Amino acid sequence: MMKHAIAIALWFVCITASTAQTQRSATQFTINIQELERCIELAKQNYPQRKIAALTERKAKSAIEAESLGYLDMFNMAYFYRPDDRRAINIENPYVFNGFQFGVNVNLGSMLQRPAKVRQARVDYEVAKQQSKAYDDILVTEVKKRYYEYRRAKEDLSVKTQALEDYRVLAEALQLRFEQGEIELTDYATAKTAASNAQSELLQAQMALLTAQDALEEIIGTSISEIN
């Protein structure tokens, strides 16, 4: 009869822990929207690949300005100076006028190519913008994924902590009854084993939380404590 009572007690603790975990997952797993938005903001500011995408977009935009200014390259200006005290007609200096003389040369090849280069620069800029936007969407999704995993691991650790406490209370109670000769050693050992298993699960939950926290901090570029 006592064995059945102990088995029922252990079963009750297991069911309680499982039910608590289910209830917390269903009703207490909450998302801090402000915290999540802050994580997304930090990721956009600090994540290296996001910076590269932004710089690529800026580079493409600057290329449009550079190609537009390139219209000036098709014009070449030159000047010649002939002192005023020389004759206007001279075999060695066959110019009609004295003083400064200016000329402008037009590069027809550059004139024809420049519009195409400007259009290509605009296309490259549009592609860079779309790539940057697409990467932002991917980054936001990844931040949310890591944040949800972090919060899940945090909740799971809380559940495992409470379960271990319940097992310890039961084990201590059974230890007292064992010392008083009310139960057998095998019954007490069963409770101790359950408590040890709960301790192991708690350690795994702690490791899972640390792993999830490291993953989140890696993408936001700072400690999770900085966003609170």
Side-chain angles (χ1 to χ4, degrees):
M1 186 67 178
M2 183 60 67
K3 291 183 178 180
H4 290 298
I6 294 173
I8 291 174
L10 290 174
W11 176 82
F12 178 76
V13 171
C14 292
I15 293 298
T16 301
S18 177
T19 302
Q21 184 171 4
T22 301
Q23 290 178 342
R24 291 176 71 90
S25 299
T27 63
Q28 297 187 22
F29 185 74
T30 58
I31 300 300
N32 187 325
I33 300 300
Q34 293 182 344
E35 186 177 60
L36 176 57
E37 290 178 348
R38 180 57 178 160
C39 286
I40 294 173
E41 179 184 353
L42 288 172
K44 289 182 177 181
Q45 291 177 1
N46 300 328
Y47 199 59
Q49 293 300 323
R50 173 60 173 76
K51 291 182 179 180
I52 291 173
L55 289 173
T56 301
E57 182 180 342
R58 288 173 55 186
K59 180 181 178 181
K61 184 177 182 180
S62 298
I64 297 178
E65 300 176 358
E67 292 295 346
S68 298
L69 291 175
Y71 276 107
L72 299 176
D73 294 341
M74 68 183 67
F75 300 101
N76 295 318
M77 298 187 63
Y79 74 91
F80 178 80
Y81 174 70
R82 186 172 187 275
D84 293 335
D85 58 353
R86 292 188 179 185
R87 289 180 300 172
I89 302 299
N90 186 296
I91 296 178
E92 297 178 356
N93 184 29
Y95 288 89
V96 177
F97 302 101
N98 292 331
F100 285 99
Q101 299 177 47
F102 298 91
V104 177
N105 297 320
V106 180
N107 188 326
L108 293 179
S110 179
M111 179 183 292
L112 295 175
Q113 294 176 4
R114 187 56 52 186
K117 290 183 177 180
V118 172
R119 287 195 298 270
Q120 183 60 51
R122 293 184 184 279
V123 171
D124 292 342
Y125 174 54
E126 186 62 29
V127 170
K129 283 200 305 181
Q130 293 302 320
Q131 288 178 338
S132 182
K133 181 179 181 301
Y135 189 80
D136 276 352
D137 294 340
I138 294 173
L139 184 63
V140 169
T141 300
E142 184 62 22
V143 170
K144 288 182 178 180
K145 176 182 176 182
R146 298 189 188 192
Y147 177 77
Y148 297 154
E149 179 59 24
Y150 165 74
R151 291 301 298 256
R152 187 206 65 78
K154 195 173 183 179
E155 291 288 343
D156 188 52
L157 177 62
S158 179
V159 170
K160 293 297 194 302
T161 300
Q162 183 60 52
L164 176 60
E165 182 62 26
D166 293 340
Y167 279 118
R168 281 178 173 173
V169 170
L170 177 60
E172 290 174 359
L174 293 179
Q175 179 180 4
L176 179 61
R177 299 187 65 179
F178 169 71
E179 292 173 350
Q180 294 174 349
E182 298 179 3
I183 62 174
E184 297 179 2
L185 177 60
T186 53
D187 299 325
Y188 171 59
T190 300
K192 289 288 291 183
T193 300
S196 297
N197 292 337
Q199 176 68 48
S200 178
E201 291 182 359
L202 177 62
L203 292 175
Q204 293 177 3
Q206 290 173 337
M207 292 178 61
L209 176 59
L210 290 175
T211 300
Q213 181 174 321
D214 288 344
L216 180 59
E217 291 179 345
E218 186 268 337
I219 201 170
I220 66 176
T222 187
S223 172
I224 192 69
S225 61
E226 297 295 326
I227 67 176
N228 297 324

